[in-house]
Amino acid sequence: MDIVNQLQRQFIDHSTSLHREGIVDDQFTELQKLQDENSPDFVVEVVSLFFEDSEKLLNNMARALEQAQGVDFKQVDASVHQLKGSSSSIGAMRVKNACIAFRSFCEAQNREGCLRCLQKVTHEYSLLKNKLQSLFRLEQQILAAGGSIPVAK
Amino acid sequence: MASNGGVTWRRTEEVHVLAVDDSLVDRKVIERLLRISSCKVTAVDSGLRALQFLGLDEEKSSNGLNVSLSSSSSFSRISVSLPSDSHLRLLFQDLKVDLIITDYCMPEMTGYELLKKVKESSAFREIPVVIMSSENVLARIDRCLEEGAEDFIVKPVKLSDVKRIKDYMTGEGEKERSSKGINKRKQRDSFDDLSSSPPSILSSPSPISSSSSSSPSPPSVQSASAPSSPSPLDSPTRRVKMASSK
């Protein structure tokens, strides 16, 4: 059972740091509560949808900001608004906050500001993705070793 | 469910919610929140589709009836375009919607516009409509409540939000309400928030098709005496139940 304990401890540490660093917030915990034997992969499923959706939106933003003939800030803002919504729904706090800042530059029609924000959002998104994938990997390892996943209080 | 001469009877405890949201992620979350709260869910991605499901859209298919079935876990999802004949509606009793929960910000048709269409329809105006929005704008909330929205939830939606909504749908005698701290509600008394659950505002409800009392007497706290067993709330909140003005 040593390996299971080790993995569980790693899982708890990883989960704690995700919250402490503000990468995820309480809403992520809410989602974890919705996972049970009837829907054992719920969190992974939602997060996967979020990843797909986000990457599309980030691409949209990048393309819209690249337009030499003039940036359609409404379009950029629409994508940022969507990303803000979905990141809020899964508890991706830093991504959400980066989107909030982004929207004000869209409103100001400030291309440079928008590009900086896009960089920031992309960075936060990549960080989130890496950390969540590590978390899910740990979960799989725990289950494979016959253990159970520690439940967040 | 027993079938009897083509009419299917719905179990009375099973609540059927029509969820409307253009975001795939949000649809997935709201679906799960509702299912885990023992609700049947039909999730659609637009106001137009919601109207189509209800049979309220203007463009009906020429052959009158257009059904496609898809099963998901233990629930069947049925897409149907119905003429307004009530006898045909009876055949699809199983599709009867008990609550509509909709996002506010959607392209083409907002949640507010959907709310209006539902409340304008004689067939469906009794269905409680809950609005969800990521933006906590008082004017928006007020406008929705005035149009007859049952409640307004600020996203992200949590389990406690869904539990609360389900409770007043299953028709307890005394409803509970929590205030969001946005206490500028017209013509209503307000209570301070007593709970830790995310508060929202209960509007003057249209008569719900359940045995709820709509007494205009001053609100007081009573234990819920529901004909059907209510799901336990995480924390008690108080609600003002107003007589329907619609």
Side-chain angles (χ1 to χ4, degrees), chain A residues 9-22 135:
Chain A
R9 213 180 325 243
Q10 276 180 48
F11 175 86
I12 291 172
D13 285 345
H14 195 69
S15 194
T16 307
S17 86
L18 273 171
H19 284 271
R20 192 184 49 236
E21 290 169 30
L135 192 74

Side-chain angles (χ1 to χ4, degrees), chain A residues 26-27 30-31 33-36 38-39 42 45-46 49-50 53 81-82 84-86 88-90 103, chain B residues 21-26 28-33 36 73 103 105 134-135 155-160 234:
Chain A
D26 282 344
Q27 182 64 13
E30 286 288 316
L31 290 192
K33 283 193 217 162
L34 301 179
Q35 185 161 290
D36 62 16
N38 293 322
S39 202
F42 173 70
E45 286 168 6
V46 187
L49 283 176
F50 172 74
D53 198 44
H81 173 76
Q82 281 187 58
K84 177 183 149 245
S86 54
S88 163
S89 294
I90 68 152
R103 291 197 80 189
Chain B
D21 201 318
D22 60 316
S23 157
L24 184 54
V25 170
D26 287 1
K28 174 107 182 155
V29 173
I30 193 73
E31 250 185 315
R32 181 71 194 136
L33 284 168
I36 212 175
S73 64
D103 191 23
C105 277
S134 54
E135 264 126 61
K155 285 179 158 183
V157 186
K158 296 172 160 43
L159 198 54
S160 51
D234 293 335

Side-chain angles (χ1 to χ4, degrees), chain B:
Chain B
M1 284 176 292
S3 273
N4 182 4
V7 179
T8 309
W9 299 100
R10 219 162 34 94
R11 283 173 283 163
T12 45
E13 310 88 37
E14 226 176 25
V15 158
H16 181 201
V17 182
L18 177 61
V20 191
D21 201 318
D22 60 316
S23 157
L24 184 54
V25 170
D26 287 1
R27 271 203 307 283
K28 174 107 182 155
V29 173
I30 193 73
E31 250 185 315
R32 181 71 194 136
L33 284 168
L34 288 164
R35 292 219 172 113
I36 212 175
S37 307
S38 310
C39 295
K40 224 154 85 157
V41 191
T42 300
V44 298
D45 64 2
S46 71
L48 185 58
R49 286 223 205 281
L51 293 175
Q52 283 171 349
F53 184 83
L54 292 169
L56 269 181
D57 63 322
E58 278 95 50
E59 305 145 38
K60 302 212 173 20
S61 58
S62 54
N63 55 11
L65 208 64
N66 192 355
V67 183
S68 67
L69 281 163
S70 74
S71 274
S72 159
S73 64
S74 53
F75 299 101
S76 297
R77 274 191 228 154
I78 303 176
S79 280
V80 63
S81 219
L82 289 172
S84 44
D85 302 285
S86 55
H87 72 278
L88 277 169
R89 275 236 190 81
L90 269 179
L91 279 176
F92 293 87
Q93 193 66 32
D94 211 33
L95 299 176
K96 185 166 169 287
V97 170
D98 299 301
L99 176 98
I100 298 169
I101 182 165
T102 178
D103 191 23
Y104 184 94
C105 277
M106 295 187 291
E108 287 161 19
M109 187 188 295
T110 65
Y112 176 74
E113 286 159 355
L114 175 61
L115 165 69
K116 275 178 69 172
K117 287 228 149 71
V118 169
K119 292 302 168 187
E120 279 161 14
S121 114
S122 49
F124 298 112
R125 71 161 62 106
E126 316 257 301
I127 302 180
V129 180
V130 173
I131 311 278
M132 308 177 276
S133 176
S134 54
E135 264 126 61
N136 196 357
V137 177
L138 184 58
R140 176 181 293 184
I141 296 171
D142 272 353
R143 202 178 343 130
C144 290
L145 296 179
E146 291 203 336
E147 201 59 44
E150 193 68 28
D151 207 335
F152 190 101
I153 299 174
V154 178
K155 285 179 158 183
V157 186
K158 296 172 160 43
L159 198 54
S160 51
D161 292 315
V162 175
K163 283 202 161 115
R164 191 183 63 242
I165 290 169
K166 202 190 162 203
D167 281 346
Y168 63 66
M169 274 180 49
T170 53
E172 292 88 81
E174 185 66 20
K175 296 299 187 279
E176 298 181 330
R177 171 212 158 197
S178 59
S179 146
K180 194 141 197 124
I182 301 164
N183 43 24
K184 303 278 185 291
R185 295 196 47 224
K186 298 168 186 158
Q187 305 148 20
R188 292 180 186 101
D189 301 319
S190 51
F191 282 88
D192 288 335
D193 180 27
L194 297 177
S195 75
S196 55
S197 64
S200 71
I201 295 168
L202 182 68
S203 74
S204 159
S206 336
I208 300 176
S209 57
S210 48
S211 53
S212 50
S213 65
S214 42
S215 139
S217 58
S220 55
V221 179
Q222 293 173 16
S223 52
S225 48
S228 53
S229 48
S231 38
L233 285 176
D234 293 335
S235 49
T237 54
R238 280 192 248 165
R239 267 203 199 128
V240 177
K241 188 103 171 33
M242 299 294 294
S244 161
S245 53
K246 299 258 185 283

